[in-house]
Amino acid sequence: MNNKQHQTQQLAERLDKAAMTATATAQLSEDFPEIDLQQAYKIQQASIARRLSRKERLVGVKMGFTSRAKMVQMGVDDLIWGQLTDSMQLVEGGMLEMQHYVHPRIEPEIAFRLKTSLKGKVSLTEAMAAVDSLAPALEIIDSRYANFKFSLTDVVADNSSSSAFVLGPWCSPTEDISNQAMILNINGRAKEVGSSSAILGNPYRSLVEAARLAGEAGLCLEAGWTVLAGAATAAQAIPANSHIHLQTSGLGDVHLYTSNPKQGEQG
Ligand code: OOG
Ligand code: MG
């Protein structure tokens, strides 16, 4: 193992431990400004390898910064992707245990389930043909960096802030997702109101980009996998003891409840 590979492993361990202990860490770019995008994805890969060695299973990928609202909120304007494992999936209508997270935020998304694999450069028509079903979804992002602040390489190394996700009911891929209303309610109040069209103008474009970006890393989007298209609106901080409810105009709803606050922090 050369020095760079050793550093990649060490930083993956640092981010993995931060996630497991729900403790924020400093941005990697502050300590190691030389890390480039390619190494950042290698750190992500190494942190996922640690999860797989604990018997977690890869079940899909997530896209990030596919809407202007998200790019503006975080000050990053490149598409990024991260990986989803089975242990990140929460039961619909279930409970988010706040003590497992540093400073979680919630995002309204759309999920695709694939019936055939997709790799590399695919057309919009090919991407659409690979979709078995669609679902409304909530993504819980929880940057492992202090104050939820990061550079592009930092967030990529940190598995694009991916932390957990909840899927609503699967529905037919014939449902029109070009302009679904997406209303993110917290405790009965609409906190974000948007449209699925905010996701690259059409969420299927996010699937095309997911295949391309994963392909660049030598990965294939597999049949049976879930792909999260990215948030349609800005993310909202998740309060403790709350009810989160995503309403869509035609795809159904997703609910999630949150537990008591993390000890030592205010709700
Ligand atoms: C990065 C992840 C962005 C999305 O849906 O755009 C993302 C972050 O904002 O922490 O998941
Ligand atoms: Mg997201």
Side-chain angles (χ1 to χ4, degrees):
M1 210 187 273
N2 64 31
N3 280 349
K4 198 162 171 178
Q5 287 165 334
H6 182 68
Q7 183 190 49
T8 297
Q9 293 300 329
Q10 278 202 321
L11 296 179
E13 181 179 353
R14 170 163 148 188
L15 289 168
D16 187 43
K17 288 206 165 135
M20 286 207 295
T21 57
T23 315
T25 185
Q27 293 177 56
L28 306 187
S29 59
E30 281 171 7
D31 300 337
F32 309 101
E34 72 278 11
I35 292 173
D36 61 11
L37 196 57
Q38 196 185 10
Q39 193 184 359
Y41 274 112
K42 287 202 170 134
I43 297 168
Q44 177 188 131
Q45 200 59 48
S47 77
I48 294 295
R50 295 175 64 87
R51 284 175 170 270
L52 301 184
S53 74
R54 295 194 294 268
K55 303 279 181 285
E56 292 183 34
R57 221 166 29 85
L58 216 52
V59 296
V61 302
K62 60 152 284 179
M63 289 295 289
F65 303 134
T66 51
S67 66
R68 288 286 321 150
K70 276 295 305 182
M71 290 181 186
V72 169
Q73 183 179 32
M74 304 314 294
V76 177
D77 54 13
D78 290 89
L79 295 185
I80 57 172
W81 66 287
Q83 302 176 59
L84 304 173
T85 72
D86 58 344
S87 75
M88 295 180 188
Q89 184 168 0
L90 304 175
V91 178
E92 202 278 323
M95 179 73 81
L96 184 79
E97 295 292 344
M98 296 295 280
Q99 71 274 17
H100 297 321
Y101 302 89
V102 184
H103 36 210
R105 295 180 179 178
I106 194 88
E107 299 181 324
E109 305 218 5
I110 286 186
F112 299 109
R113 188 168 64 193
L114 301 182
K115 61 182 173 201
T116 52
S117 63
L118 282 173
K119 186 171 185 186
K121 274 200 145 179
V122 298
S123 68
L124 198 57
T125 320
E126 285 168 325
M128 290 175 81
V131 172
D132 172 68
S133 22
L134 305 165
L138 290 169
E139 187 186 19
I140 294 93
I141 53 171
D142 190 32
S143 176
R144 269 55 66 164
Y145 301 115
N147 305 317
F148 226 113
K149 284 232 165 63
F150 45 68
S151 68
L152 178 65
T153 53
D154 287 327
V155 66
V156 161
D158 185 29
N159 198 25
S160 296
S161 305
S162 197
S163 192
F165 64 101
V166 193
L167 301 175
W170 288 112
C171 56
S172 160
T174 57
E175 291 292 338
D176 183 8
I177 51 167
S178 61
N179 188 17
Q180 283 284 327
M182 318 261 303
I183 305 165
L184 181 64
N185 299 289
I186 302 182
N187 297 325
R189 281 175 175 235
K191 292 289 198 172
E192 296 286 344
V193 178
S195 159
S196 60
S197 66
I199 305 166
L200 295 177
N202 170 1
Y204 280 108
R205 289 214 185 98
S206 182
L207 185 54
V208 170
E209 294 303 318
R212 182 179 66 80
L213 289 172
E216 280 173 9
L219 242 114
C220 175
L221 305 183
E222 307 280 357
W225 274 17
T226 296
V227 177
L228 291 178
T233 70
Q236 280 282 326
I238 301 182
N241 296 317
S242 294
H243 173 208
I244 297 167
H245 172 201
L246 170 62
Q247 275 176 294
T248 68
S249 43
L251 296 182
D253 297 26
V254 194
H255 297 269
L256 182 67
Y257 295 85
T258 69
S259 73
N260 291 325
K262 185 175 171 175
Q263 265 188 358
E265 285 197 6
Q266 293 190 343

